[in-house]
Amino acid sequence: MQITWNQQVVKKENKTLVLDLIMNSFPISRADAAQKLGLNKGTVSSLVSELIDEKLIFESGPGESSGGRRPVMLLFNQNAGYSIGVDLGVNYIYGVLTDLLGNIILEKNTENPGLSYKDALREVNSLIQELIDSAPSSPYGIIGIGVGAPGIVNKEGDVLLAPNLGWRNVSLKRDLEHAFNLPVIVENEANAGAYGEKKFGVGKDYDNLIYISAGIGIGAGIIINGELYKGINGYSGEVGHMSIDFNGPKCSCGNNGCWELYASEQSLISKAGSFGLENEMTLEKIINLAASEDEDALSMLKETGRHLGLGIINIINAFNPKQIIIGNRLAAAKEWLSWDVKQTINKYTLPFHQTEIDISFSNLALPAAALGVSAFSIENFIKNQLQI
Ligand SMILES: [Zn+2]
């Protein structure tokens, strides 16, 4: 029987609902799925059969029943394929291989010592290749690659500007697609981090949050009503270039006194000079010094905490979010930043925001940006799979 275009659309929508439900609440029986979705059992059974044939779900032994014959349970096949997520930082490259639920199977880490685009691409390619080579065999293999990049990324996956890497107009998505012949998603790393925190991390409970990626530069990922807000061209969240002092030093973006000149990892490292600490400072060294109660390191971190707080106040006043998550490299210094960030916010935010807002730091064990882009690839794969 020929089915009409309209029926095709309804079928696709229902199939998406069935798969979503199984992904999020397995094990579940056909009958429970039908009841939860308000669809008839025949419809659910036929969609389930298709999903089983496509190896996206499978049947397992009987579940619990209140009596009578025990129903067969349906499970999501999280090992039907594997996804790759790469966090391409200014001074590191970190990649994960995940199953289709975002569980990390393998991770790889390498330094990115301020490489040219060509050299960085070679490093990224070799890291991705290692992850691909280590993936267990599966029906769909590697379903896609997601990359979070520290810069302005357009909808075509070009990095238009990554000031801290000195890159302009590089076609990262196209170059990776060419190298691996797989679907590739390139996203701004703060957007990726926001999504990773919302889906897997400290942002799980909130639908309105702003993730502040505080690394060599500063960017923000904005989640509004549970969805990533990217702006009309995808350029939202460039808060690192929000000026907090018009008379301040010149920034690489052309503006003066940008927030990231005061509150980023780079600014913390530059402060080391004025505090008379040795050259070749790194965040790790500063943290070690702070841990051993070095007064200069403690003062530098205090000042950075205050500066972080000052920028966050503007963001809170503009967006009225439920939660602010401070993530990326500076989250490692939470112990020394947290008090000053919160004090500054309490002191200067409009009073009605103060009792409502949750100020959190990323959990370092969760690589939010890499998991966020990996999740984008998985969603893309599932969407495309259900189109067929
Ligand atoms: Zn700037």
Side-chain angles (χ1 to χ4, degrees):
M1 186 184 74
Q2 196 75 31
I3 62 170
T4 65
W5 180 80
N6 223 354
Q7 286 168 316
Q8 189 68 35
V9 170
V10 171
K11 186 186 156 195
K12 235 181 268 170
E13 277 172 7
N14 286 341
K15 199 169 167 183
T16 307
L17 290 174
V18 170
L19 184 60
D20 268 352
L21 179 69
I22 297 171
M23 269 179 98
N24 292 312
S25 8
F26 71 89
I28 187 167
S29 68
R30 286 172 172 81
D32 282 349
Q35 199 212 357
K36 283 213 163 100
L37 296 171
L39 294 170
N40 78 49
K41 282 188 197 168
T43 306
V44 169
S45 281
S46 108
L47 295 171
V48 160
S49 300
E50 286 188 25
L51 290 167
I52 291 175
D53 288 345
E54 290 161 16
K55 299 194 163 47
L56 291 171
I57 63 171
F58 62 98
E59 290 178 320
S60 154
E64 284 175 31
S65 169
S66 48
R69 205 160 63 95
R70 288 166 165 225
V72 172
M73 302 305 276
L74 303 169
L75 289 93
F76 177 60
N77 184 8
Q78 64 205 65
N79 299 314
Y82 295 91
S83 174
I84 287 175
V86 178
D87 177 4
L88 171 50
V90 175
N91 46 2
Y92 62 90
I93 303 170
Y94 171 85
V96 288
L97 178 77
T98 76
D99 67 17
L100 297 183
L101 286 178
N103 298 304
I104 297 176
I105 307 295
L106 192 71
E107 49 190 333
K108 296 262 171 203
N109 208 347
T110 171
E111 277 185 24
N112 177 15
L115 296 168
S116 69
Y117 175 65
K118 206 174 125 222
D119 292 336
L121 186 64
R122 199 181 52 235
E123 291 289 325
V124 170
N125 278 350
S126 108
L127 182 133
I128 291 172
Q129 191 60 54
E130 277 183 59
L131 292 170
I132 291 175
D133 293 343
S134 313
S137 70
S138 62
Y140 291 95
I142 302 293
I143 54 92
I145 298 166
V147 181
I152 296 176
V153 180
N154 69 9
K155 287 180 176 160
E156 284 70 47
D158 302 324
V159 181
L160 300 183
L161 181 68
N164 293 309
L165 285 166
W167 298 353
R168 261 174 200 277
N169 298 318
V170 295
S171 305
L172 184 54
K173 176 177 149 80
R174 203 190 56 201
D175 290 341
L176 290 173
E177 280 171 345
H178 189 71
F180 296 103
N181 201 22
L182 285 167
V184 174
I185 291 175
V186 177
E187 185 55 80
N188 167 272
E189 60 84 26
N191 286 348
Y195 198 65
E197 290 292 354
K198 163 74 193 131
K199 212 168 159 66
F200 307 105
V202 291
K204 249 194 289 198
D205 296 335
Y206 299 124
D207 280 335
N208 292 284
L209 65 91
I210 314 253
Y211 170 84
I212 312 288
S213 169
I216 290 290
I218 299 183
I222 302 158
I223 305 275
I224 296 178
N225 295 332
E227 306 270 332
L228 186 63
Y229 174 79
K230 293 166 63 165
I232 51 165
N233 294 314
Y235 311 157
S236 68
E238 287 301 323
V239 294
H241 299 287
M242 163 176 76
S243 178
I244 59 168
D245 181 2
F246 288 123
N247 298 314
K250 195 93 180 158
C251 177
S252 60
C253 74
N255 199 350
N256 284 78
C258 290
W259 185 29
E260 69 176 40
L261 300 178
Y262 300 86
S264 62
E265 179 185 1
Q266 182 62 56
S267 76
L268 179 66
I269 291 167
S270 337
K271 278 172 193 165
S274 61
F275 276 87
L277 294 173
E278 61 172 286
N279 290 331
E280 305 285 311
M281 243 327 138
T282 62
L283 176 63
E284 287 73 15
K285 283 186 192 169
I286 294 169
I287 288 175
N288 283 339
L289 284 170
S292 59
E293 310 271 319
D294 178 278
E295 280 189 18
D296 290 337
L298 292 172
S299 308
M300 285 160 56
L301 285 162
K302 248 183 133 36
E303 194 176 286
T304 301
R306 279 199 299 274
H307 285 147
L308 263 174
L310 286 175
I312 291 172
I313 289 166
N314 292 335
I315 293 170
I316 293 173
N317 286 339
F319 287 96
N320 183 25
K322 180 65 198 158
Q323 187 186 36
I324 294 279
I325 303 172
I326 299 164
N328 203 343
R329 300 260 306 153
L330 282 189
K334 170 186 175 182
E335 196 182 326
W336 298 278
L337 295 172
S338 180
W339 194 85
D340 288 286
V341 169
K342 288 179 184 169
Q343 276 298 106
T344 309
I345 292 169
N346 280 339
K347 204 164 162 192
Y348 300 115
T349 313
L350 293 171
F352 32 81
H353 286 306
Q354 288 166 10
T355 49
E356 294 279 320
I357 188 118
D358 172 327
I359 309 283
S360 296
F361 282 73
S362 289
N363 175 352
L364 289 183
L366 185 105
L371 286 179
V373 274
S374 173
F376 286 141
S377 279
I378 294 166
E379 281 160 23
N380 205 32
F381 160 73
I382 293 206
K383 201 175 85 204
N384 291 336
Q385 206 52 40
L386 295 176
Q387 297 291 329
I388 299 167

